[in-house]
Amino acid sequence: MATTNPMMRRVALLSAGLAAALTSGVLPAAGAEPVPTDPAPSNATATRRPVSPPPDPGGAPPGSEAPTAPPGTEGTPAPPRTEGTAVPPADPADPRTGLTDPGAPDAPADPNAPGAPGVPADQPSLVTGDPRDFGAQIFKGDAFDTCQAPSAATMRAWKGPSPFGAVGVYIGGRGRACPKQKHLSAEWVTEVDKQGWKLLPVYVGSQAPCVIAKNKQKFRMDTKDPYGLGRQEGQDAVRSAQQLGMAKNSALYLDMEAYRYKKKSCADTTLRFIQGWNSAVRAQGYVAGFYSSANYGIAHLEKARAAGARGLPTAVWFARWHVPASVDKERNLNPKAWQPHRRIHQHTGNVKRTYGGHTVTVDHNLVDAPVAVVG
């Protein structure tokens, strides 16, 4: 019913204002009518991917320095695409606040908490969602990796004539086969980035207690506190990346060579190390990736994922040779898990390639996954 008397109308307005204050905690200015606040739409998203043109056709990601599968066939090069958005910096002091991937929630630090090996876990996550939504840059195409980062001159000679658009570089870790990198430096990273290359940083740290390769057994991890050790090495991986000029939102890939994951004690120890490494990497605003043999480390992570384990990598890089190149057809991965833009397939290894008069022995990868952010 409308109020015609001015005094009565003012009283009505003041009464409405008081009612609004009691329900919202905010008192409107004297004489002002309360303004209703529309709730945020339920389908609103915090981050939107920018639409940008694809870069020039190029290659793919780096591979492993010690392949765990026999050589196979090469795949058809696919055009690359890189996109990314900025996200707020993470607090390195808190392993939780830097979490950037909602598809891979951090693992509990307490080994007796849900989600730890052998402890009832949460509902399984597919570790899914577009990584560009939380700041990652994606590369699609062919990549190579080799133990020793090639010279800038070789990279320049290969850019264009080769099918590759990305390269895997071994940035650190006590298990790295080529610890003395002749060319890898912040200046090298800047130079090859200007040439148009995308980088896949690989960290070869402590290996599983049941690692198969004899040359990696001297790097087996301590079993007393694998989560804490993983965090220490994850922090070291970030420091190595920062020294090379790789910024936040860069992907870092942990190289865990093939191990006998069906041995439960070894599998549990290795998983805790991986979870600790991922936690430290994410806490500092970087993207946690994982490389291993499809039949060993990757099969183990898929089993852990299906059991509800937390703190899993954002992207997986699997080695399986003698099969056509594909990021979608790995039989040891649920087809819907680690999708989209979260996979790399190493399909060929230890092959010599020559472009522009420069020959390098490489592994060949098909990539659709996060890469380093340079600058």
Side-chain angles (χ1 to χ4, degrees), residues 86-98:
V87 295
D91 178 4
D94 187 341
R96 304 296 180 99
T97 57

Side-chain angles (χ1 to χ4, degrees), residues 88-99 231 248 279-280 282-285:
D91 178 4
D94 187 341
R96 304 296 180 99
T97 57
L99 181 66
R231 280 190 50 77
K248 289 180 186 295
S279 174
R282 290 194 178 107
Q284 298 176 83

Side-chain angles (χ1 to χ4, degrees), residues 338-360:
W338 282 285
Q339 295 279 15
H341 311 306
R342 294 171 179 261
R343 294 187 179 192
I344 301 172
H345 178 196
Q346 184 186 89
H347 54 84
T348 304
N350 289 337
V351 292
K352 287 187 176 181
R353 295 289 183 262
T354 302
Y355 301 100
H358 293 246
T359 301
V360 182

